[in-house]
Amino acid sequence: AAGGVAAVLDDGFHSGEPSPEQRKALDAQLAGARPETVRQLLLLGPDGSVRAAASREGVVPPTRFAAQKSAGGLDSYRDSNGSWVVLVTLPVGATRHRVAAEAFFQELYAPALASFSRLFVVDLCLVLLVSFLAYRITSAAVRPIESLSEAARHIAQGQFDHVIPEPTSQDEVGLLARTFNDMMRRLRGYQSEIEAANRSLMERNNELKQAKETFEQLSITDGLTKLHNHRFFQDHLTREINRVSRSDEPLSILLVDIDDFKSLNDRFGHAAGDELLMGLARIMNDTVRESDLLARYGGEEFVVLAANTDLPGAYQLAEKIRTNIAENSFIVDESMRPMRVTVSIGVAAYRGNRRTFFQAADRALYQAKAEGKNCVVTEPDNPV
């Protein structure tokens, strides 16, 4: 456009106004040279005035300020409608005139903006695709590791029934997951074995505990009469003496001996004697009180330790035992003939000395034997 305009200008026109013919030629030259994207093409004189113009919207000359502002090069500004306008000025040959091209910013850069938009969309799609692929790759790598971490947490809590989904890959992570599952299966097997061993051990412990309790019970029980034995009586006597020494409560003892037991044993046999001992034990056990201790002292002798019982009370208990035995009949042999049995009982009260306590009851028992048997005698120094 600048070259065509320079051909129209002459030396006399360089500083003056163009003639109507020249303006018409210049307008035609500018109209033919105006690109579609340019809103208008202007010929500016040396003073910045518009000498000729070509516009797609009719002649729309810019303000002098805009023309002066665009004295050369590239500039942009807002027009009266507020739209951004780009103004480019170029010199016309050796003249002092300039050609100014005015275009809307959006139209001028529309191809670039469209290309940029397309490029942005393509780049965005590429970024999203790469992000998705990275996510898939990262998930594929991290998920097995998270499964291993979760399984390790279950093991730390003692839970061995957790199974990791085994990946189909043959890489190191897949090998680690399969190895981990093998370890879990072995741990479950070991746990089952340990639980079975613990159950067996608990059963053995229960059996040993029961056996111990049975043995302890047998060690203090008379095997024939099922009463407490001599050993238990001595231990219980010690505890009772310690107790009454602190509380000052009364304590009495009864020594019970079967009358003529040796002759009965020789006449009917030892088996009959054992039957008789068991029958007498049952009667005496039904007669004594819950607070009393009944024990087999040895042979045909029994002992009753009466807690919180004075000498008169012990005498009444002894008489009750003697009467119940005398009134009962016993069948001890195959003849099925009923047999009567009597007992002699010596009674004594505790007076501060363990040895004299038992000796007093023993003397009273011998006294009962000497007085004809089948009777109760209290300690000689304190007759009832």
Side-chain angles (χ1 to χ4, degrees), residues 78-103:
R78 289 185 181 273
D79 63 6
S80 60
N81 295 325
S83 299
W84 276 105
V85 177
V86 177
L87 187 65
V88 180
T89 60
L90 295 173
V92 180
T95 69
R96 298 171 61 189
H97 289 74
R98 297 186 303 279
V99 174
E102 187 183 46

PDB file of all heavy atoms in Angstrom, residues 78-103:
ATOM      1  N   ARG A  78      -8.273   2.498  22.915  1.00  0.00           N
ATOM      2  CA  ARG A  78      -9.702   2.219  22.864  1.00  0.00           C
ATOM      3  C   ARG A  78     -10.386   3.294  22.026  1.00  0.00           C
ATOM      4  O   ARG A  78     -10.110   4.481  22.177  1.00  0.00           O
ATOM      5  CB  ARG A  78     -10.320   2.189  24.261  1.00  0.00           C
ATOM      6  CG  ARG A  78      -9.921   0.991  25.094  1.00  0.00           C
ATOM      7  CD  ARG A  78     -10.673   0.984  26.418  1.00  0.00           C
ATOM      8  NE  ARG A  78     -10.292  -0.131  27.257  1.00  0.00           N
ATOM      9  CZ  ARG A  78     -10.846  -1.343  27.199  1.00  0.00           C
ATOM     10  NH1 ARG A  78     -11.797  -1.558  26.291  1.00  0.00           N
ATOM     11  NH2 ARG A  78     -10.463  -2.301  27.999  1.00  0.00           N
ATOM     12  N   ASP A  79     -11.314   2.853  21.167  1.00  0.00           N
ATOM     13  CA  ASP A  79     -12.053   3.819  20.370  1.00  0.00           C
ATOM     14  C   ASP A  79     -13.230   4.366  21.165  1.00  0.00           C
ATOM     15  O   ASP A  79     -13.376   4.092  22.365  1.00  0.00           O
ATOM     16  CB  ASP A  79     -12.502   3.195  19.045  1.00  0.00           C
ATOM     17  CG  ASP A  79     -13.463   2.025  19.274  1.00  0.00           C
ATOM     18  OD1 ASP A  79     -13.850   1.783  20.446  1.00  0.00           O
ATOM     19  OD2 ASP A  79     -13.826   1.336  18.302  1.00  0.00           O
ATOM     20  N   SER A  80     -14.071   5.130  20.509  1.00  0.00           N
ATOM     21  CA  SER A  80     -15.202   5.747  21.190  1.00  0.00           C
ATOM     22  C   SER A  80     -16.213   4.740  21.715  1.00  0.00           C
ATOM     23  O   SER A  80     -16.972   5.041  22.653  1.00  0.00           O
ATOM     24  CB  SER A  80     -15.906   6.729  20.239  1.00  0.00           C
ATOM     25  OG  SER A  80     -16.377   6.037  19.072  1.00  0.00           O
ATOM     26  N   ASN A  81     -16.216   3.543  21.164  1.00  0.00           N
ATOM     27  CA  ASN A  81     -17.136   2.479  21.635  1.00  0.00           C
ATOM     28  C   ASN A  81     -16.516   1.614  22.727  1.00  0.00           C
ATOM     29  O   ASN A  81     -17.152   0.682  23.218  1.00  0.00           O
ATOM     30  CB  ASN A  81     -17.558   1.592  20.465  1.00  0.00           C
ATOM     31  CG  ASN A  81     -18.370   2.346  19.433  1.00  0.00           C
ATOM     32  OD1 ASN A  81     -19.157   3.238  19.792  1.00  0.00           O
ATOM     33  ND2 ASN A  81     -18.177   2.006  18.161  1.00  0.00           N
ATOM     34  N   GLY A  82     -15.272   1.915  23.062  1.00  0.00           N
ATOM     35  CA  GLY A  82     -14.603   1.158  24.114  1.00  0.00           C
ATOM     36  C   GLY A  82     -13.914  -0.094  23.621  1.00  0.00           C
ATOM     37  O   GLY A  82     -13.426  -0.879  24.445  1.00  0.00           O
ATOM     38  N   SER A  83     -13.826  -0.292  22.295  1.00  0.00           N
ATOM     39  CA  SER A  83     -13.166  -1.486  21.762  1.00  0.00           C
ATOM     40  C   SER A  83     -11.679  -1.220  21.604  1.00  0.00           C
ATOM     41  O   SER A  83     -11.259  -0.099  21.244  1.00  0.00           O
ATOM     42  CB  SER A  83     -13.771  -1.863  20.398  1.00  0.00           C
ATOM     43  OG  SER A  83     -15.143  -2.143  20.532  1.00  0.00           O
ATOM     44  N   TRP A  84     -10.876  -2.256  21.825  1.00  0.00           N
ATOM     45  CA  TRP A  84      -9.434  -2.118  21.658  1.00  0.00           C
ATOM     46  C   TRP A  84      -9.109  -2.126  20.169  1.00  0.00           C
ATOM     47  O   TRP A  84      -9.562  -2.978  19.416  1.00  0.00           O
ATOM     48  CB  TRP A  84      -8.690  -3.265  22.349  1.00  0.00           C
ATOM     49  CG  TRP A  84      -8.465  -3.017  23.814  1.00  0.00           C
ATOM     50  CD1 TRP A  84      -9.106  -3.580  24.836  1.00  0.00           C
ATOM     51  CD2 TRP A  84      -7.507  -2.139  24.373  1.00  0.00           C
ATOM     52  NE1 TRP A  84      -8.658  -3.133  26.041  1.00  0.00           N
ATOM     53  CE2 TRP A  84      -7.647  -2.213  25.780  1.00  0.00           C
ATOM     54  CE3 TRP A  84      -6.549  -1.263  23.854  1.00  0.00           C
ATOM     55  CZ2 TRP A  84      -6.876  -1.481  26.667  1.00  0.00           C
ATOM     56  CZ3 TRP A  84      -5.764  -0.533  24.738  1.00  0.00           C
ATOM     57  CH2 TRP A  84      -5.930  -0.628  26.126  1.00  0.00           C
ATOM     58  N   VAL A  85      -8.318  -1.097  19.768  1.00  0.00           N
ATOM     59  CA  VAL A  85      -7.927  -0.931  18.370  1.00  0.00           C
ATOM     60  C   VAL A  85      -6.403  -0.923  18.291  1.00  0.00           C
ATOM     61  O   VAL A  85      -5.732  -0.300  19.121  1.00  0.00           O
ATOM     62  CB  VAL A  85      -8.480   0.384  17.778  1.00  0.00           C
ATOM     63  CG1 VAL A  85      -8.006   0.575  16.328  1.00  0.00           C
ATOM     64  CG2 VAL A  85      -9.997   0.394  17.841  1.00  0.00           C
ATOM     65  N   VAL A  86      -5.850  -1.618  17.271  1.00  0.00           N
ATOM     66  CA  VAL A  86      -4.410  -1.640  17.025  1.00  0.00           C
ATOM     67  C   VAL A  86      -4.130  -0.746  15.812  1.00  0.00           C
ATOM     68  O   VAL A  86      -4.808  -0.851  14.778  1.00  0.00           O
ATOM     69  CB  VAL A  86      -3.915  -3.071  16.762  1.00  0.00           C
ATOM     70  CG1 VAL A  86      -2.423  -3.052  16.436  1.00  0.00           C
ATOM     71  CG2 VAL A  86      -4.196  -3.948  17.972  1.00  0.00           C
ATOM     72  N   LEU A  87      -3.134   0.142  15.922  1.00  0.00           N
ATOM     73  CA  LEU A  87      -2.784   1.081  14.858  1.00  0.00           C
ATOM     74  C   LEU A  87      -1.323   0.893  14.484  1.00  0.00           C
ATOM     75  O   LEU A  87      -0.440   1.000  15.321  1.00  0.00           O
ATOM     76  CB  LEU A  87      -3.029   2.521  15.323  1.00  0.00           C
ATOM     77  CG  LEU A  87      -2.866   3.601  14.259  1.00  0.00           C
ATOM     78  CD1 LEU A  87      -3.936   3.437  13.165  1.00  0.00           C
ATOM     79  CD2 LEU A  87      -2.978   4.986  14.887  1.00  0.00           C
ATOM     80  N   VAL A  88      -1.092   0.615  13.164  1.00  0.00           N
ATOM     81  CA  VAL A  88       0.255   0.416  12.652  1.00  0.00           C
ATOM     82  C   VAL A  88       0.526   1.511  11.615  1.00  0.00           C
ATOM     83  O   VAL A  88      -0.285   1.733  10.706  1.00  0.00           O
ATOM     84  CB  VAL A  88       0.412  -0.971  12.008  1.00  0.00           C
ATOM     85  CG1 VAL A  88       1.823  -1.151  11.470  1.00  0.00           C
ATOM     86  CG2 VAL A  88       0.083  -2.058  13.013  1.00  0.00           C
ATOM     87  N   THR A  89       1.661   2.211  11.700  1.00  0.00           N
ATOM     88  CA  THR A  89       2.026   3.283  10.747  1.00  0.00           C
ATOM     89  C   THR A  89       3.346   2.943  10.081  1.00  0.00           C
ATOM     90  O   THR A  89       4.268   2.434  10.732  1.00  0.00           O
ATOM     91  CB  THR A  89       2.149   4.620  11.482  1.00  0.00           C
ATOM     92  OG1 THR A  89       3.158   4.514  12.488  1.00  0.00           O
ATOM     93  CG2 THR A  89       0.829   5.024  12.120  1.00  0.00           C
ATOM     94  N   LEU A  90       3.407   3.273   8.757  1.00  0.00           N
ATOM     95  CA  LEU A  90       4.606   3.032   7.964  1.00  0.00           C
ATOM     96  C   LEU A  90       4.887   4.267   7.103  1.00  0.00           C
ATOM     97  O   LEU A  90       3.948   4.908   6.610  1.00  0.00           O
ATOM     98  CB  LEU A  90       4.425   1.806   7.066  1.00  0.00           C
ATOM     99  CG  LEU A  90       4.261   0.453   7.769  1.00  0.00           C
ATOM    100  CD1 LEU A  90       3.906  -0.633   6.744  1.00  0.00           C
ATOM    101  CD2 LEU A  90       5.514   0.059   8.517  1.00  0.00           C
ATOM    102  N   PRO A  91       6.130   4.625   6.840  1.00  0.00           N
ATOM    103  CA  PRO A  91       6.444   5.780   5.974  1.00  0.00           C
ATOM    104  C   PRO A  91       6.150   5.434   4.512  1.00  0.00           C
ATOM    105  O   PRO A  91       6.198   4.266   4.116  1.00  0.00           O
ATOM    106  CB  PRO A  91       7.925   6.006   6.227  1.00  0.00           C
ATOM    107  CG  PRO A  91       8.463   4.679   6.645  1.00  0.00           C
ATOM    108  CD  PRO A  91       7.356   4.021   7.401  1.00  0.00           C
ATOM    109  N   VAL A  92       5.838   6.462   3.744  1.00  0.00           N
ATOM    110  CA  VAL A  92       5.539   6.291   2.313  1.00  0.00           C
ATOM    111  C   VAL A  92       6.769   6.763   1.523  1.00  0.00           C
ATOM    112  O   VAL A  92       6.983   7.989   1.354  1.00  0.00           O
ATOM    113  CB  VAL A  92       4.306   7.086   1.900  1.00  0.00           C
ATOM    114  CG1 VAL A  92       4.016   6.896   0.401  1.00  0.00           C
ATOM    115  CG2 VAL A  92       3.104   6.668   2.733  1.00  0.00           C
ATOM    116  N   GLY A  93       7.591   5.828   1.141  1.00  0.00           N
ATOM    117  CA  GLY A  93       8.783   6.145   0.347  1.00  0.00           C
ATOM    118  C   GLY A  93       9.628   7.190   1.016  1.00  0.00           C
ATOM    119  O   GLY A  93       9.872   7.165   2.222  1.00  0.00           O
ATOM    120  N   ALA A  94      10.102   8.160   0.131  1.00  0.00           N
ATOM    121  CA  ALA A  94      10.937   9.238   0.654  1.00  0.00           C
ATOM    122  C   ALA A  94      10.121  10.431   1.084  1.00  0.00           C
ATOM    123  O   ALA A  94      10.648  11.474   1.469  1.00  0.00           O
ATOM    124  CB  ALA A  94      11.967   9.656  -0.414  1.00  0.00           C
ATOM    125  N   THR A  95       8.774  10.334   0.962  1.00  0.00           N
ATOM    126  CA  THR A  95       7.909  11.442   1.351  1.00  0.00           C
ATOM    127  C   THR A  95       7.783  11.517   2.848  1.00  0.00           C
ATOM    128  O   THR A  95       8.215  10.615   3.568  1.00  0.00           O
ATOM    129  CB  THR A  95       6.525  11.268   0.724  1.00  0.00           C
ATOM    130  OG1 THR A  95       5.876  10.158   1.343  1.00  0.00           O
ATOM    131  CG2 THR A  95       6.627  11.028  -0.764  1.00  0.00           C
ATOM    132  N   ARG A  96       7.151  12.553   3.315  1.00  0.00           N
ATOM    133  CA  ARG A  96       6.923  12.727   4.753  1.00  0.00           C
ATOM    134  C   ARG A  96       5.556  12.204   5.158  1.00  0.00           C
ATOM    135  O   ARG A  96       5.110  12.417   6.269  1.00  0.00           O
ATOM    136  CB  ARG A  96       7.062  14.223   5.094  1.00  0.00           C
ATOM    137  CG  ARG A  96       8.470  14.775   4.804  1.00  0.00           C
ATOM    138  CD  ARG A  96       8.492  16.270   4.954  1.00  0.00           C
ATOM    139  NE  ARG A  96       8.154  16.663   6.306  1.00  0.00           N
ATOM    140  CZ  ARG A  96       7.919  17.902   6.704  1.00  0.00           C
ATOM    141  NH1 ARG A  96       7.967  18.884   5.817  1.00  0.00           N
ATOM    142  NH2 ARG A  96       7.632  18.175   7.941  1.00  0.00           N
ATOM    143  N   HIS A  97       4.847  11.548   4.202  1.00  0.00           N
ATOM    144  CA  HIS A  97       3.547  10.974   4.494  1.00  0.00           C
ATOM    145  C   HIS A  97       3.711   9.591   5.133  1.00  0.00           C
ATOM    146  O   HIS A  97       4.746   8.946   4.996  1.00  0.00           O
ATOM    147  CB  HIS A  97       2.719  10.867   3.210  1.00  0.00           C
ATOM    148  CG  HIS A  97       2.265  12.193   2.698  1.00  0.00           C
ATOM    149  ND1 HIS A  97       3.111  13.101   2.075  1.00  0.00           N
ATOM    150  CD2 HIS A  97       1.028  12.785   2.711  1.00  0.00           C
ATOM    151  CE1 HIS A  97       2.464  14.173   1.721  1.00  0.00           C
ATOM    152  NE2 HIS A  97       1.165  14.020   2.095  1.00  0.00           N
ATOM    153  N   ARG A  98       2.647   9.176   5.760  1.00  0.00           N
ATOM    154  CA  ARG A  98       2.645   7.840   6.406  1.00  0.00           C
ATOM    155  C   ARG A  98       1.324   7.151   6.088  1.00  0.00           C
ATOM    156  O   ARG A  98       0.289   7.813   5.941  1.00  0.00           O
ATOM    157  CB  ARG A  98       2.789   7.952   7.936  1.00  0.00           C
ATOM    158  CG  ARG A  98       4.124   8.580   8.337  1.00  0.00           C
ATOM    159  CD  ARG A  98       4.289   8.535   9.847  1.00  0.00           C
ATOM    160  NE  ARG A  98       3.184   9.200  10.544  1.00  0.00           N
ATOM    161  CZ  ARG A  98       3.074  10.501  10.723  1.00  0.00           C
ATOM    162  NH1 ARG A  98       3.981  11.319  10.207  1.00  0.00           N
ATOM    163  NH2 ARG A  98       2.076  11.013  11.391  1.00  0.00           N
ATOM    164  N   VAL A  99       1.403   5.855   6.017  1.00  0.00           N
ATOM    165  CA  VAL A  99       0.194   5.039   5.867  1.00  0.00           C
ATOM    166  C   VAL A  99      -0.107   4.415   7.229  1.00  0.00           C
ATOM    167  O   VAL A  99       0.780   3.821   7.854  1.00  0.00           O
ATOM    168  CB  VAL A  99       0.371   3.948   4.796  1.00  0.00           C
ATOM    169  CG1 VAL A  99      -0.845   3.027   4.786  1.00  0.00           C
ATOM    170  CG2 VAL A  99       0.556   4.576   3.433  1.00  0.00           C
ATOM    171  N   ALA A 100      -1.338   4.564   7.713  1.00  0.00           N
ATOM    172  CA  ALA A 100      -1.764   3.996   9.011  1.00  0.00           C
ATOM    173  C   ALA A 100      -2.837   2.958   8.772  1.00  0.00           C
ATOM    174  O   ALA A 100      -3.823   3.236   8.075  1.00  0.00           O
ATOM    175  CB  ALA A 100      -2.268   5.109   9.918  1.00  0.00           C
ATOM    176  N   ALA A 101      -2.648   1.777   9.343  1.00  0.00           N
ATOM    177  CA  ALA A 101      -3.645   0.688   9.253  1.00  0.00           C
ATOM    178  C   ALA A 101      -4.257   0.514  10.634  1.00  0.00           C
ATOM    179  O   ALA A 101      -3.563   0.276  11.630  1.00  0.00           O
ATOM    180  CB  ALA A 101      -2.985  -0.592   8.783  1.00  0.00           C
ATOM    181  N   GLU A 102      -5.578   0.615  10.708  1.00  0.00           N
ATOM    182  CA  GLU A 102      -6.310   0.517  11.978  1.00  0.00           C
ATOM    183  C   GLU A 102      -7.180  -0.746  11.944  1.00  0.00           C
ATOM    184  O   GLU A 102      -7.945  -0.925  10.994  1.00  0.00           O
ATOM    185  CB  GLU A 102      -7.167   1.746  12.183  1.00  0.00           C
ATOM    186  CG  GLU A 102      -7.835   1.787  13.558  1.00  0.00           C
ATOM    187  CD  GLU A 102      -8.746   3.008  13.675  1.00  0.00           C
ATOM    188  OE1 GLU A 102      -9.512   3.253  12.728  1.00  0.00           O
ATOM    189  OE2 GLU A 102      -8.692   3.680  14.704  1.00  0.00           O
ATOM    190  N   ALA A 103      -7.029  -1.596  12.951  1.00  0.00           N
ATOM    191  CA  ALA A 103      -7.786  -2.870  13.006  1.00  0.00           C
ATOM    192  C   ALA A 103      -8.189  -3.161  14.438  1.00  0.00           C
ATOM    193  O   ALA A 103      -7.520  -2.753  15.397  1.00  0.00           O
ATOM    194  CB  ALA A 103      -6.946  -4.008  12.435  1.00  0.00           C
TER     195      ALA A 103
END
